[in-house]
Amino acid sequence: TAQGLVKLIAHPKKAGKYWALGNKNLLYVTNTAGQSWEERPLFQIEGKKLSTINDIKYVPKRDSLFAASNYGLIESADDGKTWHGFRTPVPPLTITVGAVAAHPNFEEVFWFSVGNQIFRTDDGGISWRGTILPTAKIISMVQVSTVNPKIIYAGTHK
């Protein structure tokens, strides 16, 4: 793609399946190890095009993609053809979600970032608790340790 890629994700069990996020908010999907790609149009939810996609993650336990966006935290169970909002304490379209992470073993445990805060749910979004990091920088990456899921890494920018 001429626009460049921001992120590339491999399916953990299906050889040759990848998702790529372009820097113009396009999602690309391949089942042929990159020999051919299907381009998804700009992410849309509730009839509105999203202006910002900051992060995508595949969550094997749910067999779905999650995206951190200007809409909020969103989920797709069909490789990005359709998206729906994921219940969070942040109302849709009020503040941009910077990053998303999922527990490697439990399908209901997620983290997402807004500004310098990280929110966590243990029950699939019914309840959340937040932590403010001692920085003025924006959290743009959240990663869960696969060795010890009690360890969360956060990357910042600006």
Side-chain angles (χ1 to χ4, degrees):
T1 173
Q3 68 167 296
L5 296 177
V6 176
K7 187 164 222 173
L8 180 67
I9 302 170
H11 193 287
K13 293 183 180 171
K14 294 181 183 174
K17 179 156 189 157
Y18 293 87
W19 299 273
L21 178 63
N23 63 11
K24 301 279 189 206
N25 293 334
L26 289 174
L27 179 69
Y28 301 92
V29 181
T30 183
N31 290 302
T32 61
Q35 293 179 16
S36 64
W37 291 85
E38 186 177 334
E39 181 182 299
R40 300 284 189 251
L42 285 172
F43 292 85
Q44 289 195 13
I45 188 165
E46 297 178 2
K48 297 177 182 157
K49 287 185 180 178
L50 302 179
S51 60
T52 306
I53 302 297
N54 293 312
D55 192 15
I56 59 170
K57 291 278 185 337
Y58 174 69
V59 181
K61 296 285 183 181
R62 296 176 69 94
D63 193 25
S64 63
L65 288 172
F66 275 78
S69 74
N70 66 303
Y71 181 89
L73 186 60
I74 58 176
E75 181 179 20
S76 174
D78 58 7
D79 285 336
K81 292 177 185 171
T82 60
W83 293 87
H84 67 274
F86 195 81
R87 182 179 21 202
T88 71
V90 179
L93 297 169
T94 58
I95 191 164
T96 299
V97 173
V100 59
H103 195 287
N105 303 318
F106 301 108
E107 69 182 57
E108 300 299 315
V109 181
F110 296 94
W111 294 262
F112 76 92
S113 70
V114 173
N116 67 339
Q117 297 181 45
I118 295 178
F119 292 89
R120 176 188 170 135
T121 182
D122 293 324
D123 54 18
I126 295 169
S127 62
W128 294 86
R129 63 183 183 274
T131 301
I132 299 173
L133 274 73
T135 180
K137 295 183 178 183
I138 296 169
I139 298 167
S140 56
M141 184 275 301
V142 178
Q143 183 66 43
V144 181
S145 170
T146 55
V147 176
N148 181 357
K150 292 181 180 181
I151 299 173
I152 308 299
Y153 299 96
T156 62
H157 74 281
K158 292 185 186 176

